[in-house]
Amino acid sequence: MATVLMCRRFPRLSRVAAFSTTAKRKAERGSSKSRKEKRDKPGAANTGTESGATIQLLKPQDYRVLYNPAAYAKGRAGSQQRVDRDSSQALGDTFTGPGTAQAPQTFPTASSQALPPVRNALPKPKPSALLEQTILAMLYKEEAEKEKWEVHNSKEDPRMFQKGRPEYRSLSCDSAEPAQTLPAEEGDSILQSVAGCEGSPGVLTDYFRKLSRLPAERRAALGSDPRFSALCHHAITAIRLFSTPDLIQILKACVPLAVPASHPLLDACEAEFCRRAWDMDLEQLLLVADCWRCLDRSVPSYLGILFSYANLHWKDLTLPQFVQLLYIIGEGRRSPADLAQKVESTILKYLDAFTLEELGAICLGLFKSLGGVSDHVMRRIADRVSLQMEDMSTYALVNVLKMLRYTRMDHVPLMRELGKVIPARIPTTNVQGIMHITLTYSALHFFNEDVLAAVAASLPSKVSYCRSKDAAKFLWSFGCLDYEPPNEEFYSSLINQLHTKVHEFSKFPEHLLTALLGLAFVKRFPEELIDFAFREEFVQKTRGSKYELNKDLFTLSKSVEIECPTYQGSRLPPQLCQEFTEMILSFAEREIYVRPEIVEATSLLESMLGGPEYVKNHMILPHTRSSDLEVRLATDGRPIPFNFKDPVAAKKLKGVGVSLTDDLISQLTKRRAHSRSPVEVGTEAGIPRRERGDAAGTLCLGGALPAGAKSQAEPEAGRRQPGEVRLALQVSNRNHFCYGSKRLLGLHCLKRRQLRLLGYEVVEIPFWEWFPLLKRTRSEKLSYLHYKVFCPVLLTGA
C-alpha cells in the first residue's frame, strides 16, 4: 500500500479548539471505520495535536465512496454512472494534501462528478502488498454493510415512490439489471450481422433490445465498438420508419447501454419524438420523458410539448400519472406557470390517496422546479405528514422538509413530531439528509436541542462525506441557532473539512462565507480561512457571484476587526467597507428606522430625555443590519446630549472659545424659556422629580448649556468618553429570536457581544414587553422606558 509522509501546519483558530480530544477519542474507539478514514481522507489525521507530521495512506485501488449526494442538490443530478460500471472510481474525493503538484479540481456542487480514479496516480502494487490489499478489500466490504446509510444513488432514490404501485411500470424506465442476461457471444453475433445488412426497423429494434441484456462489462465496451456505431447509424437513417412503440424500445435500450447524452442517435430520437408527440398518448409521453431523465439528457423542447399536452388533457390524469408528471417537472428544473393552479387542486383532490413516498416525491418535484405552492396546500400536506411521520421513510420526509423550508411554513405540530422521530434516525441518515434536516430547523428558527445534539454527535464520523456546501450549511445552521454542542469535535472536524475543500471555494465563494459567518456567530474565527476570504482574488469572485455576498463579506470583516485584535491577515479595502456601509445605511433609512415600534420608542425617549439630541436612532454596528437607540448618561444618571443631527445647530454648538449664555442658547434654538424639562415629563409619567444640575460646568437636563459652559463636539462613535455610560437600546422583534422562545439568533447574539466589547451597555426592549405596551397609554410607555434607561443596576455597574 502506497504511503505519503506529509507535514502540515495546523490552521490558526482564534479560539481554543479541543483538537486533542478528537484524536484521543478516535484512538480509543479502535474501529475499522476510523482506520479507514485516516487511510482514505487527505488531512484526516490533522485533527490530532500529537505532532505536525503524519503518515497518510492513499486510497487502495478498489475503494470507492458509495455516496452521491446530488439528489439533495438543486442542480442537475445524475453524473454518477451505475455501480457495476465504475466500481473502481472514487466519487467526490480528490487528493489535495499540501505539497501535491496536481492542480485543484473543482466541480459543481449540484452533481457529484467522478474524478479520475486514484489508482492512475499510484505505482503498480508490489506482490508483497497484494495480501494486504486483499485483507483491506474484505474490511471495506464489511464496513460497507455498516455504512449502508451512506449508500445513495442520485437516480434511483428519487424514484422509490414508483415501487409503491404497479401502474408506474408503464410510466417509467426500469434501469435495474436485466433478470436474464444474454451470453457475450450472442452480442458478437448480433454486431457481426449488422455489417452484412442494414435490416428492417423491427430487426434493428430487436438488436438494440438484445444488446441491452448483455453483461455489464460487455455493454461498457460497446461504446468503442465500430460495429455498434454502425448499428446506431442504421437506426438514425431509418428513424422515421420505426413505429412509436419500437422507437420507445430503442430509447429504453439506450439506458442500460449507457449511450452518451450527446450521441447522434439520441439527437435523432429527440427530434422524432418531438415531431410525433401530439400523436402519442400521455402514458407514452411520460415514459419517454423518464428515459431522457435516466440518460441525463436535457430536452426542454420535448418537456414543453409534454406539459402543453398534459394541460389539455388534465382531467384524464390518473393519480400515478400526476405524481410521475411532477417528478418529471422537478427533474427538468422547470415549473410551467399555467399548471400551477391545476397542480394545487389535484394535490388536494388526491391528498388522502397518496402514499407517503408519493407525497415526498411531490414535494421534491415542487422544490426542484421552484414551483410555488399556497400556504393552504402546504399546510394540508404537513398536517398529514405530522400524523403519519413514523411510517414515512427518512428520504421522503426530508423532501417534505425542503418544501416546508422553501414556503417558510411554521407548522408547529410537524416540527414537534419531527423532534420526537428524527433524533433516533440521525445515525442512519446520510450526510445530505442530515444537512437538510438541520437547515430546516435554522431556516424556520426552530430550536430543538435533542435534534442538534444528535446531529453534532453523529457528524464527526461522517464528515469526510461532506461537500463544501454541506459543511457550510451545518456551520451556518448551528451558528444561526447559537448552539454549542457538548462535543467540540463537531466544530473542529468541520473546520478541518473546510481546509480540505478550500479549492472548491473559488468556484463557490458563497459556501466559504456561509461557513465563516456561522462560525463567527459562535465566536470562532479560523484565521487562515479568513485570510483566504479577504484576498483580492476571492473578493472579486464574490462580486461576480449570482448571490448577494457583499453584506456577508462586510459582516465578517467588521466582526474580525472587533473580536480579533491580533489578526494580521488580509483585510477588506477601506473603500469597499465604506461602499457596503452606505448601501446598508440607505436600506436602513427606508426599511428599518421607520418601523412603528422603533419610531414610537424614539419619539418617547426624545420627549422623556429633553429632545432629539439625547437619543439617536441609528446603526451603531451597520454590519449587524439592525438598529439601535443610543442614549448617553453621566455616571450620576443625567442624560448627555450628543446627537446634533442638524448641521447648522452642530456648527453653532462647536467649541470655538465663545461663552454661551442661557439667553443666547434660548435665542439660537428658539426654545421657550419655560419649556418642559425631562424631569417634568417624568413627573407626568409618575417618575420622581430629580434635582437640576447646577451651573458649574454641568449640562442641564433640558438640553441647554449653563452660562459659561462650552459645548463639546459629538465624540467619535464607539469611543467611550470618561464619566459617561453609553446605552444601546435594542427594540427587537420576533425575527430576532428562535420560534416561540426568548432565545436570540446567532447574528443578534454576535451584535450584543460586539456592542459590549465596544463599551456599550446593552438594554433589551423585547417585543413581548414592548409590543403590548404600544396599545397602552403614553404614561405607561414612558414609565417603562424610564425604568429601562435609568436602571440602577446599569449605572452602578458603570
Side-chain angles (χ1 to χ4, degrees):
M1 188 173 184
T3 62
V4 175
L5 179 61
M6 302 185 64
C7 296
R8 180 167 180 171
R9 179 169 58 88
F10 288 106
R12 292 182 62 194
L13 183 68
S14 290
R15 191 181 193 277
V16 178
F19 288 112
S20 57
T21 59
T22 305
K24 185 180 295 184
R25 289 172 187 165
K26 287 186 177 180
E28 289 173 353
R29 287 193 201 116
S31 67
S32 57
K33 179 176 180 179
S34 299
R35 294 194 297 272
K36 182 188 73 170
E37 287 180 356
K38 293 180 182 179
R39 285 191 294 267
D40 298 350
K41 184 179 181 305
N46 292 344
T47 57
T49 58
E50 289 79 19
S51 68
T54 60
I55 297 294
Q56 191 170 24
L57 303 181
L58 296 180
K59 294 179 181 176
Q61 294 184 30
D62 297 326
Y63 176 71
R64 69 184 294 270
V65 179
L66 295 174
Y67 173 56
N68 180 0
Y72 284 108
K74 287 188 178 181
R76 291 190 61 211
S79 59
Q80 178 186 4
Q81 299 296 321
R82 295 186 58 80
V83 171
D84 54 5
R85 293 200 297 269
D86 67 345
S87 61
S88 62
Q89 289 189 339
L91 300 183
D93 288 323
T94 182
F95 181 73
T96 55
T100 179
Q102 181 181 358
Q105 301 185 38
T106 59
F107 45 87
T109 310
S111 64
S112 184
Q113 285 185 318
L115 297 179
V118 177
R119 63 167 182 247
N120 293 343
L122 295 174
K124 279 189 174 182
K126 297 180 181 180
S128 59
L130 292 178
L131 178 60
E132 180 184 0
Q133 292 189 4
T134 303
I135 296 173
L136 288 173
M138 294 175 61
L139 289 174
Y140 294 148
K141 185 175 181 180
E142 293 174 2
E143 283 299 312
E145 294 298 318
K146 299 177 183 178
E147 294 183 336
K148 286 181 179 178
W149 51 84
E150 290 297 342
V151 178
H152 178 69
N153 188 305
S154 65
K155 293 179 183 178
E156 296 305 320
D157 286 5
R159 302 158 64 87
M160 293 300 293
F161 71 94
Q162 295 172 348
K163 298 180 179 180
R165 298 179 192 268
E167 294 91 335
Y168 287 113
R169 294 173 187 169
S170 60
L171 303 174
S172 59
C173 177
D174 185 5
S175 58
E177 283 296 310
Q180 294 181 344
T181 59
L182 294 179
E185 295 77 13
E186 188 166 345
D188 290 331
S189 175
I190 291 172
L191 293 174
Q192 198 66 36
S193 62
V194 170
C197 64
E198 296 189 3
S200 66
V203 172
L204 293 175
T205 301
D206 190 55
Y207 284 169
F208 275 99
R209 188 186 298 112
K210 289 181 177 179
L211 290 175
S212 69
R213 293 172 55 195
L214 290 174
E217 60 275 7
R218 185 69 185 91
R219 294 198 310 266
L222 289 177
S224 57
D225 194 320
R227 296 173 297 177
F228 181 72
S229 299
L231 176 62
C232 292
H233 177 73
H234 293 328
I236 294 172
T237 304
I239 196 75
R240 294 205 173 188
L241 301 179
F242 291 102
S243 67
T244 298
D246 281 350
L247 195 59
I248 292 175
Q249 287 299 318
I250 290 177
L251 188 65
K252 288 180 66 176
C254 289
V255 175
L257 289 172
V259 176
S262 58
H263 197 281
L265 176 60
L266 298 187
D267 293 339
C269 287
E270 181 185 356
E272 186 61 19
F273 278 121
C274 286
R275 189 181 70 84
R276 300 186 187 191
W278 292 102
D279 297 323
M280 298 163 62
D281 59 39
L282 186 58
E283 187 174 275
Q284 291 175 323
L285 290 170
L286 288 171
L287 174 56
V288 171
D290 198 60
C291 291
W292 293 130
R293 164 65 191 129
C294 292
L295 289 165
D296 289 331
R297 183 178 171 94
S298 176
V299 286
S301 298
Y302 179 83
L303 292 182
I305 297 172
L306 168 62
F307 300 152
S308 297
Y309 187 102
N311 195 12
L312 290 175
H313 299 82
W314 195 266
K315 292 182 180 179
D316 300 328
L317 254 69
T318 64
L319 184 153
Q321 288 175 342
F322 171 72
V323 178
Q324 182 70 14
L325 178 63
L326 275 187
Y327 165 73
I328 295 298
I329 288 174
E331 297 306 312
R333 307 308 198 265
R334 177 183 172 187
S335 178
D338 53 344
L339 294 183
Q341 189 60 43
K342 292 181 178 180
V343 166
E344 288 201 4
S345 61
T346 308
I347 291 175
L348 294 176
K349 175 183 176 181
Y350 291 122
L351 184 59
D352 294 331
F354 291 130
T355 67
L356 294 173
E357 297 304 308
E358 286 172 333
L359 274 180
I362 289 169
C363 288
L364 182 61
L366 292 171
F367 178 78
K368 285 185 174 181
S369 65
L370 300 180
V373 64
S374 67
D375 285 354
H376 172 66
V377 172
M378 193 62 229
R379 195 167 290 279
R380 289 285 305 278
I381 293 174
D383 286 342
R384 185 179 167 198
V385 170
S386 64
L387 296 175
Q388 298 178 280
M389 189 178 295
E390 290 188 358
D391 301 324
M392 198 172 195
S393 72
T394 303
Y395 183 83
L397 179 57
V398 166
N399 292 335
V400 174
L401 295 182
K402 290 178 184 178
M403 202 59 199
L404 201 72
R405 189 177 81 228
Y406 179 71
T407 56
R408 308 292 295 181
M409 175 66 63
D410 55 340
H411 196 282
V412 178
L414 186 146
M415 297 303 293
R416 286 177 178 167
E417 186 66 18
L418 185 67
K420 299 175 184 177
V421 170
I422 209 63
R425 296 191 188 185
I426 292 292
T428 56
T429 302
N430 58 31
V431 164
Q432 285 268 298
I434 299 174
M435 182 270 285
H436 281 292
I437 293 167
T438 310
L439 191 58
T440 299
Y441 275 93
S442 69
L444 300 180
H445 297 172
F446 269 83
F447 180 82
N448 186 306
E449 188 168 3
D450 291 339
V451 174
L452 295 178
V455 171
S458 177
L459 192 65
S461 63
K462 304 180 180 201
V463 75
S464 60
Y465 295 105
C466 286
R467 305 164 300 171
S468 59
K469 176 181 179 179
D470 303 323
K473 294 297 175 64
F474 279 122
L475 292 171
W476 168 264
S477 298
F478 272 61
C480 178
L481 297 173
D482 190 39
Y483 179 64
E484 285 280 355
N487 56 325
E488 175 61 29
E489 189 180 8
F490 171 80
Y491 278 114
S492 62
S493 63
L494 283 172
I495 291 172
N496 281 340
Q497 185 70 357
L498 291 180
H499 280 86
T500 303
K501 299 292 184 180
V502 71
H503 60 278
E504 296 182 18
F505 296 137
S506 295
K507 192 164 187 177
F508 306 108
E510 64 274 11
H511 298 166
L512 179 58
L513 292 182
T514 298
L516 292 178
L517 277 180
L519 287 168
F521 292 162
V522 289
K523 299 184 287 186
R524 287 171 172 82
F525 297 88
E527 296 188 0
E528 288 185 0
L529 293 173
I530 291 170
D531 175 71
F532 181 86
F534 290 158
R535 291 176 189 172
E536 183 178 356
E537 57 270 23
F538 184 84
V539 173
Q540 290 301 319
K541 292 281 186 183
T542 65
R543 308 208 80 177
S545 172
K546 63 180 179 179
Y547 300 101
E548 175 54 57
L549 302 178
N550 292 338
K551 292 184 291 185
D552 294 342
L553 263 177
F554 183 50
T555 300
L556 181 63
S557 174
K558 289 299 180 181
S559 296
V560 171
E561 185 179 312
I562 295 171
E563 299 202 50
C564 303
T566 61
Y567 172 73
Q568 299 295 323
S570 304
R571 294 185 183 273
L572 287 185
Q575 63 272 21
L576 205 58
C577 290
Q578 182 61 29
E579 176 187 332
F580 296 161
T581 300
E582 292 173 358
M583 176 185 67
I584 291 174
L585 293 180
S586 175
F587 171 79
E589 290 177 358
R590 298 190 312 269
E591 302 291 339
I592 298 179
Y593 300 156
V594 296
R595 289 176 180 168
E597 67 273 15
I598 296 176
V599 171
E600 179 72 359
T602 304
S603 175
L604 289 168
L605 286 170
E606 289 175 354
S607 177
M608 184 178 79
L609 298 175
E613 61 268 32
Y614 290 94
V615 59
K616 187 173 184 179
N617 177 10
H618 70 133
M619 288 184 175
I620 298 174
L621 302 175
H623 63 279
T624 60
R625 310 169 210 171
S626 58
S627 70
D628 308 88
L629 298 182
E630 184 174 356
V631 173
R632 300 183 185 179
L633 304 175
T635 52
D636 60 359
R638 290 175 294 107
I640 300 175
F642 68 97
N643 181 27
F644 307 111
K645 292 185 294 184
D646 185 351
V648 177
K651 185 175 181 179
K652 290 175 183 176
L653 292 173
K654 282 184 178 179
V656 292
V658 178
S659 297
L660 302 177
T661 64
D662 286 333
D663 292 338
L664 180 57
I665 289 294
S666 179
Q667 294 174 18
L668 290 174
T669 61
K670 297 182 180 179
R671 186 183 295 274
R672 291 182 300 167
H674 300 290
S675 62
R676 293 188 304 171
S677 72
V679 174
E680 295 167 323
V681 175
T683 303
E684 175 189 316
I687 302 168
R689 183 180 294 268
R690 292 166 176 259
E691 294 184 1
R692 292 177 179 265
D694 58 31
T698 60
L699 291 166
C700 288
L701 293 180
L705 294 174
K710 296 180 181 179
S711 171
Q712 52 185 342
E714 182 178 355
E716 183 181 347
R719 182 173 298 171
R720 182 171 176 175
Q721 300 299 307
E724 73 173 13
V725 180
R726 292 193 177 188
L727 308 182
L729 280 72
Q730 306 299 304
V731 183
S732 60
N733 59 57
R734 287 175 176 82
N735 292 331
H736 296 178
F737 296 85
C738 292
Y739 186 91
S741 77
K742 299 178 181 180
R743 184 187 184 90
L744 277 168
L745 295 173
L747 176 62
H748 302 284
C749 290
L750 172 141
K751 175 186 178 179
R752 285 151 176 77
R753 186 172 72 238
Q754 293 179 2
L755 284 171
R756 294 186 181 100
L757 287 173
L758 294 178
Y760 284 89
E761 296 290 340
V762 177
V763 179
E764 298 290 349
I765 303 181
F767 71 89
W768 58 85
E769 294 177 357
W770 182 239
F771 280 32
L773 276 173
L774 294 177
K775 301 177 182 178
R776 308 297 289 271
T777 65
R778 176 184 174 85
S779 176
E780 289 175 295
K781 288 181 280 191
L782 283 170
S783 295
Y784 174 82
L785 291 175
H786 183 273
Y787 169 77
K788 288 290 185 177
V789 171
F790 297 105
C791 176
V793 176
L794 290 176
L795 297 175
T796 302

